[in-house]
Amino acid sequence: MPFDVRRFDVYRKVPKDLTQPTYTGACISILCCVFMLFLFLSELTGFIATEIVNELYVDDPDKNSGGKIDVSLNVSLPNLHCDLVGLDIQDEMGRHEVGLIDNSMKIPLNQGYGCRFEGEFTINKVPGNFHVSTHSATAQPQSPDMTHTIHKLAFGEKLQVLRVQGAFNALGGADRLGSNPLASHDYILKIVPTVYEDLSGRKRYSYQYTVANKEYVAYSHTGRIIPAIWFRYDLSPITVKYTERRQPLYRFITTICAIIGGTFTVAGIIDSCIFTASEAMKKVQIGKMS
């Protein structure tokens, strides 16, 4: 007897003359197809789109930076002449620079009575501070006015991703124009390393920060008031990492198969129940008539 491979067919075919189409079955089939199409499009949208997963860990993510962090500062002092404005940097490694001018620019405001300071510089990955003051001026003014507006203070690479909401420029827009002109301003920053990894595996290193501030009048040892805008910073050991991911293909195929199989099965059960109930009702009616 020759071997017949058709014996392994688990999808046995029923002749058409043994099947009975119904209006109810047609409606359920149409609704079933529409429902499957809706679920398929929903899953396809989710498969094409990317998701961003975040995690926390203790590490220094950018070990190739040489222990340095890039800083971008943009601040306006509308009542202080540009000749008096300077940037000083100090930290716990012994760095002490007064009147830093590298990669900085001073733009006169209010017909020369004010100044807008824009600078890019690096700081060490240790606690320290940088401050805008008149300390580097050749002659100290009698009444320096430190009222200001901070347009930007950012650390590390520029990171602009729509679905990543973070405090990368927490002081942007800070307005202290109504403050005491002779007051010093202390901004206490807690810097948090942040890593963003896209689908290609490219990593970008940035820093978020939280801020607290206070305002006070400080006197020098000679009794003069020398106000400044202080940014005192410390680094958090916790790193925030955002990873861009896409759903694997095998998971998408598995979900589609589950949608098709599950929908057909449920629709078949519903159709069978309706058909059985309909036939039972017909038999009851025939019994009553007889």
Side-chain angles (χ1 to χ4, degrees):
M1 182 178 180
F3 178 75
D4 189 358
V5 74
R6 290 180 297 177
R7 282 187 285 176
F8 294 98
D9 185 7
V10 296
Y11 303 104
R12 301 298 178 98
K13 311 302 183 293
V14 180
K16 289 186 177 180
D17 56 351
L18 298 180
T19 59
Q20 177 183 350
T22 62
Y23 288 106
T24 303
C27 293
I28 292 176
S29 298
I30 293 172
L31 293 175
C32 177
C33 291
V34 172
F35 184 65
M36 283 192 297
L37 179 62
F38 169 74
L39 292 180
F40 172 77
L41 293 177
S42 300
E43 287 296 326
L44 182 63
T45 302
F47 174 70
I48 295 174
T50 57
E51 62 176 347
I52 296 178
V53 180
N54 62 320
E55 57 182 318
L56 302 176
Y57 58 92
V58 178
D59 192 17
D60 177 12
D62 191 8
K63 296 181 176 63
N64 299 323
S65 64
K68 303 287 186 181
I69 300 176
D70 295 326
V71 184
S72 179
L73 175 64
N74 188 332
V75 57
S76 292
L77 299 96
N79 301 308
L80 194 64
H81 197 278
C82 282
D83 292 339
L84 302 173
V85 177
L87 178 69
D88 311 327
I89 304 176
Q90 298 173 287
D91 64 33
E92 292 186 359
M93 292 183 66
R95 181 182 182 183
H96 190 185
E97 296 185 44
V98 179
L100 183 72
I101 59 174
D102 295 338
N103 298 320
S104 64
M105 179 171 56
K106 300 178 184 179
I107 304 171
L109 300 175
N110 298 338
Q111 299 179 343
Y113 290 100
C115 186
R116 178 166 178 158
F117 178 85
E118 299 180 11
E120 294 184 354
F121 53 96
T122 61
I123 57 175
N124 296 316
K125 290 184 178 180
V126 295
N129 73 80
F130 51 91
H131 51 277
V132 177
S133 68
T134 62
H135 298 164
S136 61
T138 53
Q140 294 296 318
Q142 292 297 321
S143 299
D145 188 336
M146 279 293 166
T147 54
H148 62 278
T149 300
I150 301 174
H151 306 288
K152 179 183 179 182
L153 176 61
F155 300 86
E157 293 184 55
K158 185 177 181 180
L159 184 61
Q160 286 186 334
V161 181
L162 292 177
R163 287 174 292 171
V164 175
Q165 301 296 329
F168 297 98
N169 184 24
L171 275 174
D175 188 338
R176 300 294 182 267
L177 297 179
S179 301
N180 182 352
L182 296 177
S184 290
H185 300 265
D186 255 11
Y187 296 101
I188 314 299
L189 313 178
K190 194 70 172 182
I191 302 175
V192 181
T194 304
V195 184
Y196 183 84
E197 182 177 351
D198 59 22
L199 287 174
S200 65
R202 177 177 175 265
K203 294 181 179 180
R204 282 178 281 176
Y205 301 95
S206 187
Y207 296 84
Q208 303 181 62
Y209 61 92
T210 59
V211 58
N213 67 284
K214 63 179 179 178
E215 179 181 329
Y216 58 95
V217 176
Y219 295 86
S220 68
H221 62 280
T222 60
R224 294 186 58 186
I225 300 176
I226 306 179
I229 306 171
W230 297 83
F231 301 93
R232 307 182 193 272
Y233 61 88
D234 193 5
L235 273 79
S236 169
I238 302 296
T239 295
V240 180
K241 183 179 181 181
Y242 297 97
T243 306
E244 196 175 38
R245 294 178 183 173
R246 179 169 288 163
Q247 182 181 345
L249 179 61
Y250 72 86
R251 187 178 298 172
F252 172 70
I253 294 175
T254 302
T255 305
I256 296 303
C257 291
I259 289 173
I260 295 174
T263 305
F264 265 117
T265 301
V266 173
I269 293 173
I270 294 174
D271 180 59
S272 178
C273 292
I274 294 175
F275 180 76
T276 303
S278 174
E279 291 297 313
M281 289 293 294
K282 289 179 180 179
K283 291 181 179 179
V284 170
Q285 289 177 358
I286 293 173
K288 287 182 179 180
M289 290 177 62
S290 61

